[in-house]
Amino acid sequence: MRQLAMVIDLNKCIGCQTCTMACKTQWTIGKGRDYMYWNNVETMPGKGYPKDYMDMDAGFDKNKEVRLGPLPSLKDYGKAWEFNYREFMEGKDKVVRTEEVPAWGPGWDEDVGKGDFPNNYYFYLPRLCNHCTNPACLAACPRKAIRKREEDGIVLVDLEKCRGYRNCVRACPYKKVYFNPAINKTEKCIFCFPRLEDGKPQACARQCVGRARHVGYLDDKNSHVYDLVKKWKVAIPLRPDFGTLPNVYYIPPFSPPEFNENGQVSDKPRIPMKYLRELFGTTVDNALKTLQSEMEKRSTGSKSELMDILIAYKYKEMFSL
Ligand code: SF4
Ligand code: SF4
């Protein structure tokens, strides 16, 4: 089995949501999909989407048994806002919201972050289905409606077989499977396989204005993905402790330094390493050290293959399909 993977550089993501819109307009504009964001970008530290999804006790336990967490409610995702457009078009009213004011939605805590001025901090975390090597969604489906393709490891829901039991939604610790009430089935990111079969990268990757996303097979030694994940070991998965072996990897964020009480720059990182270890596991320490030393090398005029890859001079080189 081959595995296609994506690496997202969190130091280059500017939180513009172009990837979100590229996906939304391509795949999830249909009925019952209003609240679906197969790709979304969250501000971290933050509660994410659906709200507090990381605390929903899903994935695999220590005995490698799949855990079915609670089903998130529509309020946890945030319902699409409704407006009285008909009355407005008929000249009967000004435009007003017709439903209760939502208390959560995708991007609700955008740019909030943590810490007090001048030591506040945040970074952006784009998220999509990880097309996991050990997918909890697949393990939890009693209908065997979820499969992983041999040729590229893409995880797909077979809509013919799905009966809408939603065990996959409960089991996925990243909450990247969605229930479509209009068809009573679950749907999820398909890693843009029709585009891939046409030789094109995923819409989120191709449209990324930050050139933050690299795509390639993990066994392809000519791909940036291989270089970043296997060779330089600077691309690491989100919440490896969930046990699903994700295939979306992240270049962890550099931290600006903290100001001390005298207002001087200290050598303490502003983003606590404890927080980064919670998100990315302990391999984040070495990944950041490697990135830092290669960046310093480059800033003194020496060559750095790693920095050249991450700068991504030619976007076509970011994709090895
Ligand atoms: Fe399944 Fe969730 Fe992994 Fe995607 S991220 S393959 S939906 S367990
Ligand atoms: Fe980040 Fe790229 Fe998405 Fe913009 S398009 S939010 S830079 S990943």
Side-chain angles (χ1 to χ4, degrees), residues 153-188:
I154 294 178
V155 175
L156 296 173
V157 180
D158 182 340
L159 292 182
E160 294 292 316
K161 289 186 182 169
C162 176
R163 291 285 178 275
Y165 298 153
R166 281 168 272 179
N167 281 15
C168 53
V169 183
R170 292 174 60 192
C172 172
Y174 302 94
K175 292 292 167 271
K176 278 295 171 189
V177 207
Y178 301 86
F179 179 62
N180 184 333
I183 56 170
N184 195 36
K185 292 170 193 294
T186 54
E187 297 179 310
K188 62 180 281 304

Side-chain angles (χ1 to χ4, degrees), residues 192-254:
C192 283
F193 76 83
R195 286 177 58 93
L196 295 170
E197 287 170 2
D198 203 23
K200 299 186 184 103
Q202 294 85 348
C204 58
R206 178 63 188 88
Q207 298 297 325
C208 174
V209 295
R211 290 196 187 175
R213 298 187 183 223
H214 306 256
V215 181
Y217 288 88
L218 284 173
D219 61 359
D220 177 1
K221 293 191 174 164
N222 295 316
S223 78
H224 282 182
V225 162
Y226 178 89
D227 289 337
L228 296 167
V229 176
K230 304 275 189 193
K231 184 175 168 189
W232 287 95
K233 295 184 176 25
V234 289
I236 48 183
L238 178 67
R239 292 299 303 258
D241 54 306
F242 285 151
T244 66
L245 305 176
N247 289 303
V248 172
Y249 297 82
Y250 296 94
I251 305 294
F254 283 126

Side-chain angles (χ1 to χ4, degrees), residues 8 12-19 41 126 207-210 212-213:
I8 307 179
K12 291 178 84 183
C13 174
I14 54 171
C16 63
Q17 306 279 2
T18 307
C19 48
V41 184
Q207 298 297 325
C208 174
V209 295
R213 298 187 183 223

